[in-house]
Every structure is written in C-alpha cells, then in structure tokens.
C-alpha cells in the first residue's frame, strides 16, 4: 500500500543494507511509543537512517 509513496532509485546499484520495511517499522515504533529518535532499537536500523526515511 505504501510502495507508490517511496522514492524511486534513479540508478542501479547494490541492494540496500536496511530494507525499507524495517525502516518503516522503526518509524511506526517511534510514533507508537513516543521515544526519542536516538532510542529507536537497532533492529530497525540506525536511528539516523530511520529519521531520514521519516523526513522524506
């Protein structure tokens, strides 16, 4: 359902280290619990990357 909203890659490159699904789950965790961005668990990816996806 969210796939059309994701930014499209412009060039072929190696696959991402953190799948977008995990990053989206990190955003959902943060919104649901209200923790600061730096306290998002590492299982969702680096907090900075999760925040970048949220800002986009």
């Amino acid at each position: 359902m969210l796939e059309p909203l994701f930014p499209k890659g412009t060039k072929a490159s190696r696959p991402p280290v953190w799948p977008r699904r995990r990053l989206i789950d990190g955003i959902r965790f943060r919104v649901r619990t209200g923790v600061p961005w730096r306290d998002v668990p590492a299982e969702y990816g680096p907090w900075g990357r999760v925040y970048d996806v949220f800002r986009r």
Side-chain angles (χ1 to χ4, degrees), residues 1-16:
M1 196 160 85
L2 295 175
E3 190 67 33
L5 302 175
F6 291 152
K8 302 286 185 227
T10 56
K11 57 183 176 180
S13 62
R14 60 185 165 173

Side-chain angles (χ1 to χ4, degrees), residues 24-36 39-41 44:
I24 297 293
D25 287 344
I27 293 169
R28 292 178 56 232
F29 174 84
R30 195 274 180 191
V31 170
R32 184 176 62 242
T33 61
V35 299
D39 292 341
V40 172
Y44 299 119

